[in-house]
Amino acid sequence: MDKKMISENGETTTADGSICGYNSLHQLLSANLKPELFQEVSRLLLGRNCGGSLEQIVLPESAKALSSKHDFDLQAVSFSADKEQMRMPRVVRVGLIQNSIAIPTTAPFSDQKRAIFDKLKPIIDAAGVAGVNILCLQEAWTMPFAFCTREKRWCEFAEPVDGESTKFLQEFAKKYNMVIVSPILERDIDHGEVMWNTAVIIGNNGNIIGKHRKNHIPRVGDFNESTYYMEGDTGHPVFETVFGKIAVNICYGRHHTLNWLAFGLNGAEIVFNPSATVGGLSEPMWPIEARNAAIANSYFVGSINRVGTEVFPNPFTSGDEKPQHNDFGHFYGSSHFSAPDASCTPSLSRYKDGLMISDMDLNLCRQYKDKWGFRMTARYEVYADLLAKYIKPDFKPQVVSDPLLHKNSS
């Protein structure tokens, strides 16, 4: 590759020293490999949907104009399903938005929040004019991802489920007949004003369908978020909308396979994973976990990650032998969709705001349940028995040791 190198960790480094992610690697290979070899590499990186590559969606010029004017990445591809004799296609258009914060974290909080609203408005409008039916925003989209600073003043961004951000998005939902998933820092007014990391589900009529609270709170690196909110208490709800059954596996929940499984058992057809994660911590895992979840649970997954480096006024430390610092690292964007047939879209930019749009035939979910039979071949009663034993204080692992092992070692 001319003026491009593959580093030890698998990232692609360009001549100017910038780092390219998984999607950029795919693009670089397309420019440097013979067509027949690239097709094979693409098959392995992005999979095959119904035996072929994903098709590009032709978007209206008004959506493209908004992308050009406001400088955000805009991509649109389509997943197909096999034609059935007994069911009509169930095609839904789904969108994901990734974005950086709008003004420095030193600005007044109200100004920061309003600037993010103003920044997202043209991106949401682009989704609307493009005919998106279901739109999901990134984790804690109304604010900088300040939770790991452990400073309590950032709690001011918390709001009730029917608060300012919901009212802002309800207007778009009604205007564009669009379901919107809005992940926020929730303040629970009815229960002592405690806080939760919550996704609000806004119906296409502007109504609030329900909410889901983040099940798993990270304790890794800078991400010690339990300073601000607790593990969720809403279980694994699936929200039935006019466009399909959706669920929200918020951020760190993607590392827990049983969390993905539970949404599938409750009947989800699309599971969104709104996130805030940085390159040094999780980027090699990013294209793998969601794709694996889509395969194992026979549903579509929409992965959203914020983008940019957020610098905070006061330095903080993680207690992991690193010196104190003012940022978490680079939020690497790379939002994308994964399908139950192991195919996935290219990713949005690693550096820019973006809108990823996908048409998906939800019939593909049942088709792959039928093909692989995971629901029929799983041994849920065996897993349930093990888990019931594991959570008891007297649990003993089922380990069968070689009788000569300890004899020889002694």
Coordinates of all heavy atoms in Angstrom, one line a residue, residues 81-173:
A81 N -34.1 -9.4 2.0 CA -34.4 -10.7 2.5 C -35.0 -11.5 1.4 O -35.4 -11.0 0.3 CB -35.5 -10.6 3.6
D82 N -35.0 -12.8 1.5 CA -35.6 -13.6 0.4 C -37.1 -13.4 0.3 O -37.8 -13.1 1.4 CB -35.4 -15.1 0.7 CG -33.9 -15.5 0.6 OD1 -33.2 -14.9 -0.1 OD2 -33.5 -16.5 1.3
K83 N -37.6 -13.5 -0.9 CA -39.1 -13.3 -1.0 C -39.8 -14.6 -0.5 O -39.3 -15.7 -0.6 CB -39.4 -13.2 -2.5 CG -39.0 -11.8 -3.1 CD -39.4 -11.7 -4.6 CE -39.0 -10.3 -5.1 NZ -39.4 -10.2 -6.5
E84 N -40.9 -14.3 0.2 CA -41.7 -15.4 0.8 C -43.0 -15.5 0.1 O -43.5 -14.5 -0.5 CB -41.9 -15.2 2.3 CG -40.6 -15.1 3.1 CD -40.8 -14.9 4.6 OE1 -42.0 -15.2 5.0 OE2 -39.9 -14.5 5.3
Q85 N -43.6 -16.7 0.2 CA -44.9 -16.9 -0.5 C -46.1 -16.5 0.4 O -47.1 -16.1 0.0 CB -45.1 -18.4 -0.8 CG -44.1 -18.8 -1.9 CD -44.4 -20.2 -2.4 OE1 -45.5 -20.6 -2.6 NE2 -43.3 -21.0 -2.5
M86 N -45.9 -16.6 1.8 CA -47.0 -16.3 2.7 C -46.9 -14.9 3.4 O -47.9 -14.5 4.0 CB -47.0 -17.4 3.8 CG -47.0 -18.8 3.3 SD -48.7 -19.2 2.6 CE -49.6 -19.4 4.1
R87 N -45.8 -14.2 3.3 CA -45.7 -12.9 3.9 C -45.2 -11.9 2.9 O -44.3 -12.2 2.1 CB -44.7 -13.0 5.1 CG -45.2 -13.7 6.3 CD -44.3 -13.4 7.5 NE -42.9 -13.7 7.3 CZ -41.9 -13.4 8.1 NH1 -42.2 -12.7 9.3 NH2 -40.6 -13.7 7.9
M88 N -45.7 -10.7 3.0 CA -45.1 -9.6 2.2 C -43.8 -9.1 2.8 O -43.6 -9.3 4.1 CB -46.1 -8.5 2.1 CG -47.4 -8.8 1.4 SD -47.1 -9.2 -0.4 CE -46.6 -7.5 -1.0
P89 N -42.9 -8.5 2.1 CA -41.7 -7.9 2.7 C -42.1 -6.8 3.8 O -43.2 -6.2 3.7 CB -41.1 -7.2 1.5 CG -41.5 -7.9 0.3 CD -43.0 -8.3 0.6
R90 N -41.3 -6.7 4.8 CA -41.5 -5.8 5.9 C -40.3 -4.9 6.0 O -39.5 -5.0 6.9 CB -41.7 -6.6 7.2 CG -42.9 -7.5 7.2 CD -43.0 -8.3 8.5 NE -43.1 -7.4 9.7 CZ -42.3 -7.6 10.8 NH1 -41.4 -8.5 10.9 NH2 -42.5 -6.7 11.8
V91 N -40.3 -3.9 5.0 CA -39.1 -3.1 4.9 C -39.3 -1.8 5.8 O -40.3 -1.1 5.7 CB -38.9 -2.7 3.4 CG1 -37.7 -1.7 3.4 CG2 -38.6 -3.9 2.6
V92 N -38.3 -1.5 6.6 CA -38.3 -0.4 7.5 C -37.0 0.4 7.2 O -36.0 -0.2 7.0 CB -38.5 -0.8 9.0 CG1 -37.4 -1.7 9.4 CG2 -38.6 0.5 9.8
R93 N -37.1 1.7 7.2 CA -35.9 2.5 7.1 C -35.5 3.1 8.4 O -36.2 3.7 9.1 CB -36.2 3.7 6.1 CG -35.0 4.6 5.8 CD -35.1 5.4 4.6 NE -35.1 4.6 3.4 CZ -35.1 5.1 2.2 NH1 -35.1 6.5 2.0 NH2 -35.0 4.3 1.1
V94 N -34.2 2.8 8.8 CA -33.7 3.0 10.1 C -32.5 3.9 10.0 O -31.7 3.8 9.1 CB -33.3 1.7 10.8 CG1 -32.9 2.0 12.3 CG2 -34.5 0.7 10.8
G95 N -32.3 4.9 11.0 CA -31.2 5.8 11.0 C -30.5 5.8 12.3 O -31.1 5.6 13.4
L96 N -29.2 6.1 12.2 CA -28.3 6.2 13.4 C -27.6 7.6 13.3 O -27.1 7.9 12.2 CB -27.3 5.1 13.5 CG -27.7 3.7 13.3 CD1 -26.5 2.8 13.2 CD2 -28.7 3.3 14.4
I97 N -27.5 8.3 14.4 CA -26.8 9.6 14.4 C -25.7 9.5 15.4 O -25.8 9.2 16.5 CB -27.7 10.8 14.8 CG1 -28.8 11.0 13.6 CG2 -26.9 12.1 15.0 CD1 -29.7 12.2 13.9
Q98 N -24.5 9.9 14.9 CA -23.3 10.1 15.8 C -22.9 11.6 15.7 O -23.0 12.2 14.6 CB -22.1 9.2 15.4 CG -21.5 9.5 14.0 CD -20.4 8.6 13.7 OE1 -20.4 7.4 13.9 NE2 -19.3 9.2 13.1
N99 N -22.4 12.1 16.8 CA -22.0 13.5 16.7 C -21.0 13.8 17.9 O -20.9 13.1 18.9 CB -23.2 14.4 16.9 CG -24.0 14.3 18.1 OD1 -24.8 13.4 18.2 ND2 -23.7 15.1 19.1
S100 N -20.2 14.9 17.6 CA -19.4 15.4 18.7 C -20.2 16.5 19.4 O -21.2 16.9 19.0 CB -18.1 16.0 18.0 OG -18.5 17.1 17.2
I101 N -19.6 16.9 20.5 CA -20.2 18.0 21.2 C -20.0 19.3 20.4 O -19.2 19.3 19.5 CB -19.7 18.2 22.7 CG1 -18.1 18.4 22.6 CG2 -20.1 17.0 23.5 CD1 -17.5 18.7 24.0
A102 N -20.7 20.4 20.7 CA -20.8 21.5 19.8 C -19.9 22.7 20.3 O -19.3 23.4 19.4 CB -22.2 22.0 19.7
I103 N -19.7 22.9 21.6 CA -18.9 24.0 22.1 C -18.1 23.4 23.3 O -18.4 22.4 23.8 CB -19.7 25.2 22.5 CG1 -20.8 24.8 23.6 CG2 -20.4 25.8 21.3 CD1 -21.6 26.0 24.1
P104 N -17.1 24.1 23.7 CA -16.2 23.6 24.8 C -17.0 23.3 26.1 O -18.0 23.9 26.4 CB -15.2 24.7 25.0 CG -15.1 25.4 23.7 CD -16.5 25.4 23.1
T105 N -16.4 22.4 26.9 CA -17.1 22.0 28.1 C -17.0 23.1 29.2 O -17.6 22.9 30.2 CB -16.4 20.7 28.6 OG1 -15.0 20.9 28.9 CG2 -16.6 19.5 27.7
T106 N -16.2 24.1 28.9 CA -16.1 25.2 29.8 C -17.3 26.2 29.7 O -17.4 27.1 30.5 CB -14.8 26.0 29.6 OG1 -14.6 26.3 28.2 CG2 -13.6 25.1 30.0
A107 N -18.0 26.1 28.6 CA -19.2 27.0 28.4 C -20.3 26.7 29.4 O -20.4 25.6 30.0 CB -19.7 26.8 27.0
P108 N -21.2 27.7 29.7 CA -22.3 27.4 30.5 C -23.1 26.2 30.1 O -23.3 26.0 28.9 CB -23.1 28.7 30.4 CG -22.1 29.8 30.0 CD -21.1 29.1 29.2
F109 N -23.6 25.4 31.0 CA -24.3 24.2 30.7 C -25.4 24.4 29.7 O -25.6 23.6 28.8 CB -24.7 23.5 31.9 CG -23.6 22.9 32.8 CD1 -23.8 22.4 34.0 CD2 -22.3 22.9 32.3 CE1 -22.8 21.8 34.8 CE2 -21.3 22.3 33.0 CZ -21.5 21.8 34.3
S110 N -26.2 25.4 30.0 CA -27.4 25.7 29.1 C -27.0 25.9 27.7 O -27.6 25.5 26.7 CB -28.2 26.8 29.7 OG -27.5 28.0 29.8
D111 N -25.8 26.6 27.5 CA -25.3 26.9 26.2 C -24.8 25.7 25.5 O -25.0 25.5 24.3 CB -24.2 28.0 26.3 CG -24.6 29.3 26.7 OD1 -25.9 29.6 26.8 OD2 -23.8 30.2 27.0
Q112 N -24.2 24.8 26.3 CA -23.7 23.5 25.7 C -24.9 22.7 25.2 O -24.8 22.2 24.1 CB -22.9 22.7 26.8 CG -21.6 23.3 27.2 CD -20.8 22.4 28.1 OE1 -20.6 21.2 27.8 NE2 -20.3 22.9 29.2
K113 N -25.9 22.6 26.0 CA -27.1 21.8 25.6 C -27.8 22.4 24.4 O -28.1 21.6 23.4 CB -28.0 21.7 26.8 CG -29.1 20.7 26.6 CD -29.9 20.5 27.9 CE -31.0 19.4 27.8 NZ -31.7 19.2 29.1
R114 N -27.9 23.7 24.4 CA -28.6 24.3 23.3 C -27.8 24.2 22.0 O -28.4 24.0 20.9 CB -28.9 25.8 23.6 CG -29.5 26.6 22.5 CD -30.8 25.9 21.9 NE -31.7 25.6 22.9 CZ -32.8 24.9 22.7 NH1 -33.1 24.4 21.5 NH2 -33.7 24.6 23.7
A115 N -26.5 24.3 22.1 CA -25.6 24.1 20.9 C -25.7 22.7 20.3 O -25.7 22.6 19.1 CB -24.2 24.5 21.3
I116 N -25.8 21.7 21.2 CA -26.0 20.3 20.7 C -27.4 20.2 20.0 O -27.5 19.6 18.9 CB -25.9 19.3 21.8 CG1 -24.4 19.3 22.4 CG2 -26.3 17.9 21.4 CD1 -24.2 18.5 23.6
F117 N -28.4 20.8 20.6 CA -29.7 20.8 19.9 C -29.6 21.4 18.5 O -30.1 20.8 17.5 CB -30.7 21.5 20.7 CG -31.3 20.8 21.9 CD1 -30.6 19.7 22.5 CD2 -32.5 21.2 22.5 CE1 -31.1 19.1 23.6 CE2 -33.0 20.6 23.6 CZ -32.3 19.5 24.2
D118 N -29.0 22.6 18.4 CA -28.9 23.2 17.2 C -28.0 22.4 16.2 O -28.3 22.4 15.0 CB -28.2 24.6 17.4 CG -29.1 25.6 18.1 OD1 -30.3 25.3 18.2 OD2 -28.6 26.6 18.7
K119 N -27.0 21.7 16.7 CA -26.2 20.9 15.8 C -26.9 19.7 15.2 O -26.8 19.4 14.0 CB -25.0 20.5 16.6 CG -24.0 19.7 15.7 CD -22.8 19.2 16.5 CE -21.5 19.2 15.7 NZ -20.4 18.6 16.4
L120 N -27.8 19.1 16.0 CA -28.5 17.9 15.6 C -29.7 18.2 14.7 O -30.1 17.3 14.0 CB -28.9 17.1 16.8 CG -28.0 15.9 17.1 CD1 -26.6 16.3 17.5 CD2 -28.6 15.0 18.1
K121 N -30.2 19.4 14.8 CA -31.4 19.7 14.1 C -31.3 19.4 12.6 O -32.2 18.7 12.0 CB -31.9 21.2 14.3 CG -33.2 21.5 13.6 CD -33.6 23.0 13.8 CE -35.0 23.3 13.3 NZ -35.1 23.0 11.8
P122 N -30.3 19.9 11.9 CA -30.2 19.5 10.4 C -29.9 18.1 10.2 O -30.4 17.6 9.1 CB -29.0 20.4 9.9 CG -28.2 20.7 11.2 CD -29.2 20.8 12.3
I123 N -29.3 17.4 11.1 CA -29.1 15.9 10.9 C -30.4 15.2 11.0 O -30.7 14.3 10.3 CB -28.0 15.4 11.9 CG1 -26.7 16.3 11.8 CG2 -27.6 13.9 11.5 CD1 -25.6 15.8 12.8
I124 N -31.2 15.6 12.0 CA -32.5 14.9 12.2 C -33.4 15.3 11.0 O -34.1 14.4 10.5 CB -33.1 15.4 13.5 CG1 -32.3 14.9 14.7 CG2 -34.5 14.7 13.7 CD1 -32.7 15.5 16.0
D125 N -33.3 16.5 10.5 CA -34.1 16.9 9.4 C -33.7 16.1 8.1 O -34.5 15.7 7.3 CB -33.9 18.4 9.1 CG -34.7 19.3 9.9 OD1 -35.8 18.9 10.3 OD2 -34.3 20.4 10.2
A126 N -32.4 15.8 8.0 CA -31.9 15.0 6.9 C -32.5 13.6 7.0 O -33.0 13.0 6.0 CB -30.4 14.9 6.9
A127 N -32.6 13.0 8.2 CA -33.2 11.7 8.4 C -34.7 11.8 8.0 O -35.2 10.9 7.4 CB -33.0 11.3 9.9
G128 N -35.3 12.9 8.4 CA -36.8 13.0 8.2 C -37.1 13.1 6.7 O -37.9 12.4 6.2
V129 N -36.3 13.9 6.0 CA -36.6 14.1 4.5 C -36.2 12.9 3.7 O -36.7 12.6 2.6 CB -36.0 15.4 4.0 CG1 -36.5 16.6 4.6 CG2 -34.4 15.3 4.0
A130 N -35.3 12.1 4.3 CA -34.9 10.8 3.7 C -35.9 9.7 4.0 O -35.7 8.6 3.5 CB -33.5 10.4 4.2
G131 N -36.9 9.9 4.8 CA -37.9 8.9 5.0 C -37.6 7.9 6.1 O -38.1 6.8 6.1
V132 N -36.7 8.3 7.0 CA -36.3 7.4 8.1 C -37.6 7.1 9.0 O -38.3 8.1 9.4 CB -35.2 7.9 8.9 CG1 -35.0 7.2 10.2 CG2 -33.9 7.9 8.1
N133 N -37.8 5.9 9.3 CA -39.0 5.5 10.1 C -38.6 5.4 11.6 O -39.4 5.8 12.5 CB -39.5 4.1 9.7 CG -39.9 4.0 8.3 OD1 -39.5 3.2 7.5 ND2 -40.8 4.9 7.8
I134 N -37.4 4.9 11.9 CA -36.9 4.8 13.3 C -35.5 5.4 13.4 O -34.6 5.0 12.6 CB -36.9 3.3 13.8 CG1 -38.2 2.6 13.5 CG2 -36.5 3.3 15.2 CD1 -38.1 1.1 13.8
L135 N -35.3 6.3 14.3 CA -34.0 7.0 14.4 C -33.5 6.9 15.8 O -34.3 7.0 16.8 CB -34.2 8.5 14.1 CG -33.0 9.4 14.2 CD1 -32.0 9.1 13.1 CD2 -33.4 10.9 14.1
C136 N -32.2 6.5 16.0 CA -31.6 6.4 17.3 C -30.4 7.4 17.4 O -29.6 7.5 16.5 CB -31.2 5.0 17.6 SG -30.6 4.7 19.3
L137 N -30.4 8.1 18.5 CA -29.3 9.0 18.8 C -28.3 8.3 19.7 O -28.5 7.2 20.3 CB -29.8 10.3 19.5 CG -30.9 11.0 18.8 CD1 -31.3 12.3 19.5 CD2 -30.6 11.3 17.4
Q138 N -27.1 8.9 20.0 CA -26.1 8.3 20.7 C -26.3 8.4 22.2 O -27.2 9.1 22.7 CB -24.7 8.9 20.4 CG -24.6 10.4 20.8 CD -23.4 11.1 20.2 OE1 -22.9 10.7 19.2 NE2 -23.0 12.2 20.9
E139 N -25.6 7.6 23.0 CA -25.7 7.6 24.5 C -25.5 9.1 25.0 O -24.5 9.7 24.7 CB -24.7 6.7 25.1 CG -24.8 6.6 26.6 CD -23.7 5.7 27.2 OE1 -22.7 5.5 26.6 OE2 -23.9 5.2 28.3
A140 N -26.4 9.5 25.9 CA -26.3 10.8 26.6 C -26.0 11.9 25.6 O -25.1 12.7 25.8 CB -25.2 10.7 27.7
W141 N -26.8 11.9 24.6 CA -26.6 12.9 23.4 C -26.7 14.3 23.8 O -26.2 15.2 23.1 CB -27.5 12.5 22.3 CG -29.0 12.9 22.5 CD1 -29.9 12.1 23.1 CD2 -29.6 14.1 22.2 NE1 -31.1 12.7 23.1 CE2 -31.0 14.0 22.6 CE3 -29.2 15.3 21.6 CZ2 -31.9 15.0 22.5 CZ3 -30.1 16.3 21.5 CH2 -31.5 16.2 21.9
T142 N -27.4 14.6 24.9 CA -27.7 16.0 25.3 C -26.5 16.7 25.9 O -26.6 17.9 26.3 CB -28.9 16.1 26.2 OG1 -28.6 15.5 27.4 CG2 -30.1 15.5 25.6
M143 N -25.4 16.0 26.2 CA -24.3 16.6 27.0 C -23.0 16.0 26.7 O -22.9 15.0 25.9 CB -24.6 16.2 28.5 CG -24.7 14.7 28.8 SD -25.2 14.3 30.5 CE -23.8 14.8 31.4
P144 N -21.9 16.6 27.2 CA -20.6 15.9 27.1 C -20.6 14.6 27.9 O -21.4 14.6 28.9 CB -19.6 16.9 27.6 CG -20.4 17.9 28.3 CD -21.8 17.9 27.8
F145 N -19.8 13.7 27.6 CA -19.7 12.4 28.4 C -18.8 12.6 29.6 O -17.7 12.2 29.7 CB -19.3 11.3 27.5 CG -19.7 9.9 28.0 CD1 -21.0 9.5 27.9 CD2 -18.8 9.1 28.8 CE1 -21.4 8.3 28.4 CE2 -19.2 7.9 29.3 CZ -20.5 7.5 29.1
A146 N -19.4 13.3 30.6 CA -18.6 13.8 31.7 C -18.6 12.9 32.9 O -18.0 13.2 33.9 CB -19.2 15.2 32.2
F147 N -19.3 11.8 32.8 CA -19.6 10.9 33.9 C -18.3 10.4 34.6 O -18.3 10.2 35.8 CB -20.4 9.7 33.5 CG -21.7 10.1 32.8 CD1 -22.1 9.4 31.7 CD2 -22.5 11.1 33.3 CE1 -23.3 9.7 31.0 CE2 -23.7 11.4 32.7 CZ -24.1 10.8 31.6
C148 N -17.2 10.2 33.9 CA -16.1 9.7 34.5 C -15.2 10.7 35.2 O -14.2 10.3 35.8 CB -15.3 8.9 33.4 SG -16.3 7.8 32.5
T149 N -15.5 12.0 35.1 CA -14.8 13.0 35.8 C -15.1 12.9 37.3 O -14.3 13.4 38.2 CB -15.2 14.4 35.4 OG1 -16.6 14.6 35.7 CG2 -15.0 14.6 33.9
R150 N -16.2 12.3 37.7 CA -16.7 12.1 39.0 C -17.1 13.4 39.7 O -17.2 13.5 40.9 CB -15.7 11.3 39.9 CG -15.4 9.9 39.4 CD -14.7 9.1 40.4 NE -13.3 9.5 40.5 CZ -12.3 9.1 39.7 NH1 -12.6 8.3 38.7 NH2 -11.1 9.5 39.9
E151 N -17.2 14.5 38.9 CA -17.6 15.8 39.4 C -19.1 15.8 39.4 O -19.8 15.6 38.3 CB -17.1 16.9 38.5 CG -15.6 17.0 38.6 CD -15.0 18.1 37.7 OE1 -15.8 18.6 36.8 OE2 -13.9 18.5 37.9
K152 N -19.7 16.2 40.5 CA -21.2 16.1 40.6 C -21.9 17.2 39.9 O -23.1 17.1 39.6 CB -21.6 16.1 42.1 CG -21.2 14.9 42.8 CD -22.0 13.7 42.3 CE -21.8 12.4 43.2 NZ -22.7 11.3 42.8
R153 N -21.2 18.3 39.5 CA -21.9 19.4 38.9 C -22.5 19.0 37.5 O -23.5 19.6 37.1 CB -20.9 20.6 38.7 CG -19.7 20.3 37.8 CD -18.6 21.4 38.0 NE -17.6 21.3 37.1 CZ -17.5 22.1 36.0 NH1 -18.4 23.0 35.7 NH2 -16.5 21.9 35.1
W154 N -22.0 18.0 36.9 CA -22.5 17.6 35.6 C -23.9 16.9 35.7 O -24.6 16.8 34.7 CB -21.6 16.6 34.9 CG -20.2 17.1 34.7 CD1 -19.1 16.9 35.5 CD2 -19.8 18.1 33.7 NE1 -18.0 17.6 35.0 CE2 -18.4 18.4 33.9 CE3 -20.5 18.7 32.6 CZ2 -17.7 19.2 33.0 CZ3 -19.8 19.6 31.8 CH2 -18.4 19.8 32.0
C155 N -24.3 16.7 37.0 CA -25.7 16.2 37.2 C -26.7 17.2 36.8 O -27.9 16.8 36.6 CB -25.9 15.8 38.7 SG -24.8 14.5 39.3
E156 N -26.4 18.4 36.6 CA -27.3 19.4 36.2 C -27.9 19.1 34.8 O -29.0 19.6 34.4 CB -26.7 20.8 36.1 CG -26.4 21.4 37.5 CD -26.0 22.9 37.4 OE1 -26.7 23.6 36.7 OE2 -25.0 23.2 38.0
F157 N -27.2 18.3 34.0 CA -27.7 17.9 32.7 C -28.9 16.9 32.8 O -29.6 16.7 31.8 CB -26.6 17.3 31.8 CG -25.8 18.3 31.2 CD1 -24.5 18.7 31.8 CD2 -26.1 18.9 30.0 CE1 -23.7 19.7 31.2 CE2 -25.3 19.9 29.4 CZ -24.1 20.3 30.0
A158 N -29.1 16.3 33.9 CA -30.1 15.3 34.1 C -31.5 15.9 34.0 O -31.7 17.0 34.4 CB -30.0 14.6 35.4
E159 N -32.4 15.2 33.4 CA -33.8 15.7 33.2 C -34.8 14.5 33.3 O -34.4 13.4 33.1 CB -33.9 16.4 31.9 CG -33.5 15.5 30.7 CD -33.6 16.3 29.4 OE1 -34.7 16.6 28.9 OE2 -32.6 16.6 28.8
P160 N -36.0 14.8 33.6 CA -37.0 13.7 33.6 C -37.3 13.2 32.2 O -36.9 13.8 31.2 CB -38.3 14.4 34.2 CG -38.1 15.9 33.9 CD -36.6 16.1 34.0
V161 N -38.0 12.1 32.1 CA -38.3 11.4 30.8 C -39.0 12.4 29.9 O -38.8 12.3 28.7 CB -39.0 10.1 31.1 CG1 -39.7 9.6 29.8 CG2 -38.1 9.0 31.6
D162 N -39.9 13.2 30.5 CA -40.7 14.1 29.6 C -40.1 15.5 29.6 O -40.8 16.5 29.5 CB -42.1 14.2 30.1 CG -42.3 14.6 31.6 OD1 -41.2 14.8 32.2 OD2 -43.4 14.8 32.0
G163 N -38.8 15.6 29.8 CA -38.1 16.9 29.9 C -37.8 17.6 28.6 O -38.4 17.3 27.5
E164 N -36.9 18.5 28.6 CA -36.6 19.4 27.5 C -36.2 18.6 26.2 O -36.7 18.9 25.1 CB -35.5 20.4 27.9 CG -35.1 21.4 26.8 CD -34.0 22.3 27.2 OE1 -33.4 22.0 28.2 OE2 -33.7 23.2 26.4
S165 N -35.3 17.6 26.3 CA -34.9 16.9 25.1 C -36.0 16.1 24.5 O -36.1 16.1 23.3 CB -33.7 16.0 25.5 OG -34.1 15.0 26.4
T166 N -36.8 15.5 25.3 CA -38.0 14.8 24.8 C -38.9 15.7 24.0 O -39.4 15.4 22.9 CB -38.7 14.0 25.9 OG1 -37.8 13.1 26.5 CG2 -39.9 13.3 25.4
K167 N -39.2 16.9 24.6 CA -40.1 17.8 24.0 C -39.5 18.3 22.6 O -40.2 18.4 21.6 CB -40.4 19.0 24.9 CG -41.3 18.6 26.1 CD -41.5 19.9 27.0 CE -42.6 19.6 28.0 NZ -42.2 18.5 29.0
F168 N -38.2 18.5 22.6 CA -37.5 18.9 21.4 C -37.7 17.8 20.3 O -38.0 18.1 19.2 CB -36.0 19.1 21.7 CG -35.1 19.2 20.5 CD1 -35.1 20.4 19.8 CD2 -34.2 18.2 20.2 CE1 -34.3 20.6 18.7 CE2 -33.4 18.4 19.1 CZ -33.4 19.6 18.4
L169 N -37.5 16.5 20.7 CA -37.6 15.5 19.7 C -39.0 15.1 19.3 O -39.3 14.6 18.2 CB -36.9 14.2 20.2 CG -35.3 14.4 20.4 CD1 -34.8 13.1 21.0 CD2 -34.7 14.6 19.0
Q170 N -40.0 15.3 20.2 CA -41.4 15.0 19.9 C -41.8 15.8 18.7 O -42.6 15.2 17.9 CB -42.2 15.3 21.1 CG -42.2 14.3 22.2 CD -42.9 14.7 23.5 OE1 -42.8 15.8 23.9 NE2 -43.7 13.7 24.0
E171 N -41.4 17.0 18.5 CA -41.8 17.8 17.3 C -41.3 17.1 16.0 O -42.0 17.1 15.0 CB -41.2 19.2 17.5 CG -41.8 20.0 18.6 CD -43.4 20.0 18.6 OE1 -43.9 20.3 17.5 OE2 -44.0 19.7 19.6
F172 N -40.1 16.6 16.0 CA -39.5 15.9 14.9 C -40.3 14.6 14.6 O -40.6 14.2 13.5 CB -38.0 15.6 15.0 CG -37.2 16.8 15.0 CD1 -36.7 17.4 16.2 CD2 -36.8 17.4 13.8 CE1 -35.9 18.5 16.2 CE2 -36.0 18.5 13.8 CZ -35.5 19.1 15.0
A173 N -40.6 13.9 15.7 CA -41.3 12.6 15.6 C -42.7 12.8 14.9 O -43.1 12.1 14.0 CB -41.5 12.0 16.9

